[in-house]
Amino acid sequence: MQRFVSSRPKTLSLPDKLILACAVLIAVAVTSFATPALAQATWRMVTEYPQNNISGTGLATFARLVSARTGGALSVTIAFDNEARITSGDMPRAAKEGLISGGDAFAGALTRLDAVFGLPTLPFVVQSADVARTVNRRARPLYEQALRTQGLKLLYLTIWPATGLWSEQPLLVHDDLAHLKLRTYDDSSTAVMRAAGASAEFLPLNEAIAGLKEHRLNAFLTSGDGGAGRKLWDYLPHFTAINYAMPVSLAFVRTADFEALPDTLKGEVEAAAAETEQSQFDLLVNRSSENYARMRANGVSVAEPAPAALIATLRQAATAPIAAWKARNSSVAVEIVEWATKQ
């Protein structure tokens, strides 16, 4: 007689169920320890400038290199063009408060934190890319220390093309300066332009653009790079190449965010930063000529060189602000400036 075998699965008793559950938990735990998940981090960084500006280009380069060097273990997201509504002057505070990890800040806007940040925007001190590079190499430890006191780590710096004057009307003689309602980029440049006869105000970039559109301003102190990135030619069809300064912007991250990384990743981040800085300097070499060509193609009249009488007036106006800056800074910083003026 054939025995009937039921296909119904056997019901486990409660003890068997407990044994099976424990076995599953042990297997999961063993697997987890054997193949730990790769910790990932994201840094949120900001700039006031568009992506095609030299500041934006630097952050984009840094983000790409960091991702490649860390295999994606660290990624950098960027808010360009003041999308985050955080100006250069506000970036250190925003980083300390945890709103951002860091950013690329125009150094001149940081002088209220430490006067040394005004070094690269001192008028008519640096007149070539090579001198700018040497000055900032010597000043780098001063920048690092000033940022360190704010809980920030310097990653790399970017040297900008020489600053000039964008204006509605051509600037031919020193009397023309008296007709300017001018946006400046730090306290020192404001003092210089006022001493030269202009109506000048230090404004963050977005506020200045708004003032230009509302016809409260008729001139900008900025480089061809800064102006081309914002298409200032739509409002200001004249650029006078006064070679006022070769400013820098400083890319930094909150020290705590950097220290939270494993040592291997720290090394890769520092290597990415060094590579970015070199790339930015290589970019500078032809940047002014490329900007001027782009400006001329968009109808800008570029006065290069600037009228001698205009330069003489501005140099005279710069005397007192330079002296005031020297009085506020260390002998090391002053020696760097005095060396540069002799080159």
Side-chain angles (χ1 to χ4, degrees):
M1 179 176 174
Q2 186 177 8
R3 180 178 296 177
F4 175 75
V5 179
S6 172
S7 60
R8 179 183 298 176
K10 181 181 179 181
T11 302
L12 295 176
S13 65
L14 180 59
D16 289 339
K17 289 181 180 179
L18 292 174
I19 292 171
L20 179 59
C22 289
V24 171
L25 289 173
I26 292 170
V28 169
V30 169
T31 303
S32 298
F33 281 114
T35 57
L38 180 63
Q40 293 184 321
T42 300
W43 288 355
R44 182 178 182 236
M45 302 184 73
V46 299
T47 174
E48 286 188 83
Y49 300 94
Q51 187 168 357
N52 63 350
N53 169 271
I54 198 166
S55 171
T57 298
L59 279 181
T61 299
F62 178 68
R64 173 176 54 80
L65 292 173
V66 163
S67 179
R69 284 183 168 275
T70 66
L74 174 63
S75 61
V76 177
T77 63
I78 307 165
F80 296 102
D81 209 8
N82 202 25
E83 179 186 0
R85 300 293 187 267
I86 301 173
T87 65
S88 290
D90 288 335
M91 285 179 197
R93 176 189 55 78
K96 286 193 291 184
E97 293 178 357
L99 300 176
I100 56 174
S101 301
D104 187 69
F106 187 78
L110 304 178
T111 53
R112 292 167 191 178
L113 292 178
D114 194 302
V116 74
F117 292 125
L119 192 158
T121 55
L122 286 177
F124 307 107
V125 169
V126 169
Q127 296 287 285
S128 74
D130 287 338
V131 171
R133 192 173 200 184
T134 301
V135 162
N136 287 293
R137 176 180 55 78
R138 293 178 61 179
R140 188 187 192 96
L142 305 179
Y143 303 151
E144 288 176 334
Q145 177 57 35
L147 288 173
R148 192 177 301 121
T149 62
Q150 301 295 321
L152 305 170
K153 175 182 173 59
L154 177 62
L155 294 169
Y156 65 88
L157 62 83
T158 294
I159 302 172
W160 286 55
T163 300
L165 278 170
W166 291 74
S167 57
E168 280 185 350
Q169 301 298 324
L171 304 178
L172 303 176
V173 296
H174 63 84
D175 288 345
D176 292 333
L177 294 170
H179 301 292
L180 298 184
K181 299 173 185 176
L182 175 68
R183 175 261 180 174
T184 52
Y185 53 42
D186 64 358
D187 293 332
S188 175
S189 59
T190 304
V192 170
M193 291 301 166
R194 287 177 179 174
S199 174
E201 186 176 3
F202 169 28
L203 292 170
L205 190 59
N206 272 24
E207 289 183 36
I209 294 293
L212 189 60
K213 292 178 178 179
E214 295 164 6
H215 304 288
R216 291 184 283 109
L217 299 175
N218 62 11
F220 254 60
L221 181 73
T222 189
S223 67
D225 201 272
R230 286 302 191 112
K231 298 182 179 180
L232 289 187
W233 52 66
D234 289 341
Y235 309 94
L236 306 174
H238 297 275
F239 181 83
T240 306
I242 61 173
N243 291 330
Y244 178 88
M246 296 189 72
V248 304
S249 58
L250 303 170
F252 57 81
V253 69
R254 190 169 45 197
T255 303
D257 286 7
F258 179 79
E259 292 299 332
L261 299 175
D263 288 343
T264 53
L265 289 192
K266 289 179 186 175
E268 295 300 341
V269 168
E270 290 182 325
E275 188 174 346
T276 300
E277 186 164 318
Q278 179 61 50
S279 174
Q280 291 291 89
F281 186 77
D282 293 343
L283 185 66
L284 176 68
V285 175
N286 297 314
R287 191 75 171 186
S288 288
S289 59
E290 292 169 355
N291 284 335
Y292 290 174
R294 185 181 173 196
M295 289 154 64
R296 289 185 174 108
N298 283 275
V300 178
S301 173
V302 178
E304 184 190 20
L310 198 70
I311 297 297
T313 297
L314 292 171
R315 283 183 174 273
Q316 180 59 38
T319 303
I322 291 175
W325 182 88
K326 288 181 177 179
R328 296 172 59 203
N329 279 272
S330 68
S331 59
V332 175
V334 171
E335 286 172 7
I336 294 171
V337 170
E338 291 179 346
W339 174 86
T341 57
K342 297 174 184 176
Q343 305 310 305

